[in-house]
Amino acid sequence: MEFQLLGPVSINGSDGPLPIGPAKRRSLLAMLLLRAGRAVSVDTLTEVLWDEEPPQHARTVIQGHVWRLRGLLAQADAESYGVRLTTLGGAYHLDLPETLLDAHRFEELVALGRRADDPGDRAALLAEALALWQGPALASAYPSPLLRSAAHTLEEARLEAVELLADAYADAGQYERAARLLRPETGAHPLRESLAAGLVRVLHRADRSPEALEVYHATRRVLADELGVEPGADLSAAYTSALGPGTTPRPPAPTGPARSAGTVRGELPKYAPCLLPRVPRAFHGRGAESAALSEACAGSDGPVVVVTGPAGVGKTALTLHWAAAHRTAFPDGTLHADLRGFSDAPDAEPAELLREFLSALGVPPRRVPESAAAVGALFRELTARRRLLVVLDNARTSAQVRPLLPAGPGCVTVVTSRTGLTGLVASDAARVVPVDVLGAEDSVALLARVLGAARTDAEPDAARRVAELCGGLPLALRVAAARLAARPDWSLVTLADRLADAYQRLALLAAEDIGVASALRLTTAHLPADAARHFTALGHHPGLHVDRFSAAALAGSTPLEAAVALDRLVAAHLLTETGPDRYELHDLVRLYARGLDHDPAARDLARLRLYDHCVATALAAVEVAEPGGEPAFVLPDDHRQPVAVRDFTSREEALGWFAAERDDLALIAAAARAAGRPERAWRIAVTQWPFVVWRVRSDWAPTLEAALADTRACADPYAESRVLTLLGWVLTEEGRTEEALARLRAAPGLAARAGDVLGEATALVNLAVALLDGAGDGERLSAARDACTRALRLATAADDAHTRMLALQHLARIHLTAGRHQEAFDAAQEALGLGPEHEAVSRRVLLRTWQGEALLGLGATEAGARRLIEAAREAEETGYDEGAVTALDALLRMAAPTDSPDLRRRHAAARARIRAR
């Protein structure tokens, strides 16, 4: 299947051309192909199909054309080629592989030709590209202004390819062939000096100088008659070369009103034009950004600078303030145009903007050419020797900007855009100046500038709170100040309290036609369909950060699809990339995204996928952090396994993920709880147990208390026992022994009632630990030994080596506390003999520590010290600071104070690391 724009608009299927139908349907198809991969609004299609006032039933006509195109594509089995025509809100979206579109293949072949070093290779690629053309671009479509402009752009690209091919022929010495290529094009485009200059050169090199001179004079007459200018530098140089060495160019004969470019400039008004709009008032801050803009605009190579940032961040305000402050650096004037890239109005036509520029530069209306190509040529000619500032506001694509770039090395172009315009960086070495939200102090200061310092000074805390709820976004801050100015009876506290309600915040941050939501709407309207779908899904994320896996879970896509969408959203400044595969949404952007999805069922399903993604990812991290252990819980019957789960390659990476995601996991668990999903909430909490073990003194009790409430809401004794077991251990480690015992005494019975043998064993071990920790008499010590022995019997009967090792580890400690050193050593030795696959680092360190202390108690001082040194070293090397402190404590107890400075230093360092967490 192939789609053609380079000639009659057509579709070729496997059996030949498809019957598209009338010209207006071809026009609709042409616009969808020109913007393939992007949403095309009904308003844009209306403008394509009707020049004048459209009929009342225009939308119905468009729907009919789309319906018939869909039928045509279905008959041709277009979907098997990856072609889909979908509806997105009030717009249509044509998705297809770029290789199926002749205009894209043409562009790719030309790009390859440009890069080819060998003239023969270059010529072959360019000839293949031009062979794709079957006539004038977009022929057979209705010639609306939008499509005429697009056809002009495509024709300009074709002519550039013709010139490149002629150059390739000339580089290969094929001058006659180059002349045959250029002759008809020069006749068809008499105002294009580059074609004429190329033809003059190749005719001269082919020893046909008289013909070369004739081409020059014919072109000079046309330029004089049509534009009132003399030939430019390139054509003049070709003419001089054709005259031959030592020949003085003959002065041109008078041709009436012809003028040189210098004469045109001389007749301009004496004042320098300034098209800058009014500079926004109450501007504040941006000193660093202004300095960066000045630095980027420095130089003598005609700098192009892109000021980029999210909607409402103040890009235009910054640029206009900077431009107004630097007007004297541009003695020939300042031009400005709104490209309307992110607005409800149609995109501004480059040719129309250039006509406004030419008028401002003093070109009389009768001298402004009709064709877009000639208008562009005259603009570049007039700006070639000037020092101008050109401000192009609100650009969406690089293609909007390129026709408006001045030619002079003394000119500076500043473009504002919500996207990075990387194409402009690649093609024109544009420099990028990013603009982000304001900091806290500048946010409050901007509020004061708009509202008045008296009101912000009277309520400084509330002013800071309003600034925080506005997220430092200047547009939001200005609208908030405007709302307060309109309601003098409101205090800043009143506004802050209202803004704190997420459901009304965006509504409050809107004033007439200005607001955060409307600005974001214009940004998201131009997103590709898949990026827009992922953006809407991200609004359901209750946490602070997303990655490609969580985004895929929310959207029901794959991590690869999500990564592409996230990159698009970053480019549109709807997301901020804070690290590798780590993205953050501004609070107001999150609220806007959340409001786009009005389907409660879709929202609930997206969040359920996210909950299960968290559980699956955490279980994968547990498997790497604590390999071989018993699973923390069984999965619920309706668990949805994600399409893909992150791979973890080391304990450090797995624990690092737990550390980075702890806050988000807490927020996601809270969201699951609020959504009536307690069976997910407690699992999200408990699945972090390896990180709890390694960072036990990091205030885990509140998280587990909440999880305990979730299990009771589920009326699930299995879940309750699991949470009680972990919570009791945490409380023990925090020194809250009596609280721990109150919870741990209930856990074994609950586990037994649920038939959870290993859960019962683990609960008994943790109960023994709490009893041992609070042992002040032989009764508690005996109870701890009995609990641990019972746990060992259960684990042995279940043939679970991991839980056996856990029970033996703590039984060894109990024996050690009771002074039964040989039994302590034997229990630790038995545990270590169960195999390394069951030895978590923390367990191995503690078992070796107990063995070392047992050996010391048996009088084997040297062997005991060696075992303790090994345990301390492994703990330090793996970051298990608690284990390092325990082993070093034992070593310090046996060493003389003067013999242990290194041990004391290491002991102090490990304790300091624990306190710093």
Side-chain angles (χ1 to χ4, degrees):
M1 175 165 276
E2 180 184 42
F3 294 82
Q4 294 177 323
L5 294 175
L6 307 182
V9 177
S10 60
I11 308 174
N12 286 326
S14 57
D15 298 326
L18 302 185
I20 297 174
K24 289 198 172 182
R25 194 172 305 150
R26 291 176 187 270
S27 299
L28 185 144
L29 173 62
M31 181 53 66
L32 293 174
L33 288 170
L34 287 166
R35 299 188 181 180
R38 292 183 287 163
V40 183
S41 68
V42 170
D43 290 342
T44 298
L45 293 174
T46 302
E47 190 176 349
V48 167
L49 269 57
W50 290 279
D51 283 345
E52 304 298 333
E53 186 71 21
Q56 290 185 352
H57 59 287
R59 182 180 291 269
T60 304
V61 173
I62 289 171
Q63 290 172 343
H65 285 312
V66 170
W67 181 78
R68 286 175 175 80
L69 277 178
R70 281 200 181 115
L72 193 66
L73 293 172
Q75 291 173 15
D77 194 21
E79 196 155 330
S80 66
Y81 293 90
V83 180
R84 291 185 301 276
L85 176 54
T86 56
T87 304
L88 182 65
Y92 297 99
H93 190 281
L94 181 59
D95 242 337
L96 74 160
E98 292 179 330
T99 53
L100 299 186
L101 183 60
D102 61 352
H104 175 76
R105 295 204 308 279
F106 169 77
E107 183 180 339
E108 288 293 303
L109 287 167
V110 171
L112 289 171
R114 287 180 186 275
R115 294 196 293 268
D117 294 328
D118 180 75
D121 292 343
R122 192 158 69 247
L125 289 165
L126 292 165
E128 184 180 348
L130 288 166
L132 293 171
W133 284 75
Q134 304 297 314
L138 309 185
S140 76
Y142 181 72
S144 61
L146 274 178
L147 291 188
R148 285 203 304 271
S149 174
H152 283 316
T153 300
L154 290 169
E155 175 64 8
E156 178 71 18
R158 186 189 73 84
L159 291 174
E160 288 180 7
V162 167
E163 291 168 354
L164 288 170
L165 179 56
D167 289 343
Y169 287 152
D171 290 345
Q174 301 178 36
Y175 304 122
E176 292 288 354
R177 193 172 186 181
R180 287 196 300 273
L181 175 68
L182 290 171
R183 176 74 78 176
E185 299 291 355
T186 304
H189 304 278
L191 292 175
R192 191 178 178 91
E193 290 188 55
S194 52
L195 282 173
L199 182 56
V200 168
R201 280 192 292 270
V202 296
L203 286 172
H204 172 59
R205 292 173 185 171
D207 295 327
R208 296 162 62 182
S209 294
E211 292 178 62
L213 297 176
E214 181 182 338
V215 169
Y216 167 77
H217 287 297
T219 304
R220 185 187 65 78
R221 285 192 294 272
V222 171
L223 289 171
D225 292 342
E226 293 293 327
L227 303 180
V229 298
E230 287 296 323
D234 189 30
L235 182 54
S236 297
Y239 171 60
T240 301
S241 178
L243 288 174
T247 306
T248 303
R250 183 181 50 168
T255 56
R259 297 175 293 181
S260 69
T263 305
V264 170
R265 185 183 180 198
E267 294 182 4
L268 293 180
K270 295 185 182 298
Y271 63 86
C274 180
L275 300 186
L276 286 178
R278 181 181 61 81
V279 177
R281 296 176 182 174
F283 183 77
H284 177 79
R286 299 302 189 195
E289 292 87 347
S290 293
L293 184 51
S294 295
E295 183 178 353
C297 291
S300 57
D301 55 347
V304 178
V305 181
V306 178
V307 178
T308 183
V313 82
K315 302 177 295 293
T316 299
L318 166 66
T319 300
L320 292 179
H321 269 270
W322 183 89
H326 292 80
R327 278 184 60 186
T328 56
F330 303 98
D332 292 316
T334 305
L335 304 177
H336 175 275
D338 181 358
L339 304 190
R340 304 198 296 267
F342 295 93
S343 71
D344 288 323
D347 292 353
E349 287 294 327
E352 290 305 313
L353 296 176
L354 286 172
R355 289 186 178 96
E356 291 180 16
F357 287 175
L358 291 176
S359 176
L361 292 171
V363 178
R366 61 189 177 83
R367 292 297 185 189
V368 175
E370 287 296 323
S371 75
V375 167
L378 182 55
F379 176 69
R380 290 187 292 276
E381 175 70 21
L382 289 178
T383 57
R385 289 171 291 277
R386 296 191 180 212
R387 291 178 61 190
L388 282 167
L389 172 62
V390 180
V391 177
L392 303 175
D393 196 15
N394 206 12
R396 189 178 70 256
T397 67
S398 300
Q400 286 181 294
V401 173
R402 290 190 187 102
L404 305 174
L405 295 178
C411 295
V412 170
T413 306
V414 180
V415 187
T416 71
S417 179
R418 298 181 191 181
T419 67
L421 299 184
T422 52
L424 203 62
V425 175
S427 64
D428 293 271
R431 304 160 194 179
V432 178
V433 175
V435 182
D436 206 346
V437 296
L438 294 171
E441 290 186 10
D442 282 334
S443 296
V444 173
L446 179 57
L447 269 179
R449 291 289 296 271
V450 180
L451 184 62
R455 291 186 71 177
T456 56
D457 290 347
E459 299 179 86
D461 292 340
R464 281 191 293 272
R465 190 165 166 233
V466 168
E468 181 181 344
L469 290 166
C470 290
L473 195 68
L475 174 61
L477 292 162
R478 287 176 175 275
V479 174
R483 187 166 289 278
L484 283 167
R487 297 294 300 269
D489 55 315
W490 279 17
S491 66
L492 270 82
V493 170
T494 301
L495 179 61
D497 288 344
R498 291 180 180 240
L499 288 173
D501 181 355
Y503 292 101
Q504 61 173 325
R505 192 178 309 166
L506 287 177
L508 286 167
L509 295 177
E512 295 185 0
D513 59 338
I514 297 174
V516 176
S518 60
L520 290 170
R521 177 180 60 80
L522 296 172
T523 300
T524 56
H526 297 286
L527 289 174
D530 200 48
R533 181 170 67 88
H534 279 80
F535 176 70
T536 300
L538 290 179
H540 301 315
H541 196 296
L544 305 173
H545 297 87
V546 296
D547 59 19
R548 67 185 186 279
F549 293 95
S550 56
L554 284 163
S557 64
T558 68
L560 180 59
E561 292 169 332
V564 173
L566 292 171
D567 284 344
R568 297 259 195 178
L569 297 176
V570 169
H573 289 286
L574 292 167
L575 281 181
T576 300
E577 189 170 11
T578 58
D581 192 27
R582 193 164 175 82
Y583 305 86
E584 183 178 296
L585 283 84
H586 189 284
D587 284 347
L588 296 177
V589 176
R590 185 193 311 278
L591 290 175
Y592 177 76
R594 189 174 300 165
L596 293 176
D597 194 343
H598 304 292
D599 183 352
R603 177 197 61 217
D604 293 344
L605 179 59
R607 286 198 168 179
L608 183 59
R609 287 194 299 258
L610 178 67
Y611 306 151
D612 289 347
H613 149 77
C614 291
V615 169
T617 308
L619 289 177
V622 169
E623 185 59 35
V624 175
E626 299 288 347
E630 185 214 354
F633 45 73
V634 294
L635 294 170
D637 293 338
D638 61 344
H639 173 79
R640 295 170 176 267
Q641 185 66 14
V643 174
V645 177
R646 178 186 296 277
D647 288 327
F648 296 96
T649 58
S650 66
R651 174 179 287 105
E652 292 72 24
E653 183 183 356
L655 292 174
W657 181 84
F658 279 123
E661 298 298 324
R662 178 178 176 179
D663 290 342
D664 269 16
L665 290 173
L667 290 168
I668 293 168
R673 189 173 301 122
R677 289 286 186 175
E679 81 288 354
R680 258 66 177 189
W682 77 261
R683 285 179 169 87
I684 293 171
V686 169
T687 199
Q688 301 173 74
W689 72 265
F691 191 56
V692 175
V693 171
W694 281 65
R695 297 289 186 270
V696 65
R697 291 178 179 84
S698 297
D699 194 26
W700 285 101
T703 297
L704 294 172
E705 292 283 9
L708 181 61
D710 293 327
T711 65
R712 289 169 177 167
C714 296
D716 184 351
Y718 167 85
E720 188 175 352
S721 71
R722 291 272 165 156
V723 176
L724 281 170
T725 298
L726 184 56
L727 174 58
W729 183 79
V730 167
L731 292 171
T732 302
E733 290 293 315
E734 290 182 353
R736 299 158 64 181
T737 308
E738 295 307 315
E739 295 177 68
L741 287 169
R743 288 161 175 78
L744 287 167
R745 286 192 173 104
L750 287 164
R753 182 148 57 93
D756 182 10
V757 175
L758 295 179
E760 182 183 359
T762 304
L764 286 166
V765 168
N766 286 6
L767 175 60
V769 171
L771 287 165
L772 181 62
D773 189 69
D777 52 45
E779 185 178 345
R780 277 203 173 183
L781 189 59
S782 177
R785 183 177 63 251
D786 291 345
C788 222
T789 302
R790 184 178 161 202
L792 181 59
R793 284 199 301 269
L794 287 169
T796 303
D799 194 23
D800 186 85
H802 177 82
T803 309
R804 278 182 65 197
M805 178 178 278
L806 179 67
L808 285 165
Q809 170 195 332
H810 291 287
L811 195 57
R813 184 184 169 203
I814 291 168
H815 287 318
L816 195 62
T817 303
R820 294 190 289 271
H821 298 107
Q822 187 61 53
E823 291 172 79
F825 182 87
D826 292 343
Q829 189 65 24
E830 183 182 350
L832 288 168
L834 290 173
E837 65 271 21
H838 306 294
E839 293 180 14
V841 170
S842 57
R843 186 161 299 125
R844 186 165 59 245
V845 166
L846 292 175
L847 285 168
R848 288 180 176 174
T849 301
W850 306 152
Q851 279 193 322
E853 293 204 49
L855 288 167
L856 293 177
L858 291 168
T861 306
E862 186 175 341
R866 277 200 308 271
R867 197 60 59 95
L868 289 169
I869 289 169
E870 291 171 3
R873 183 181 300 114
E874 182 171 12
E876 290 171 317
E877 289 174 352
T878 56
Y880 181 33
D881 294 318
E882 287 83 355
V885 167
T886 302
L888 290 166
D889 270 338
L891 285 167
L892 285 168
R893 284 196 299 271
M894 64 176 289
T898 56
D899 296 338
S900 55
D902 180 59
L903 293 179
R904 295 185 185 283
R905 178 188 59 77
R906 290 162 59 191
H907 184 271
R911 291 185 68 85
R913 288 192 295 271
I914 293 171
R915 287 194 300 271
R917 291 174 187 163

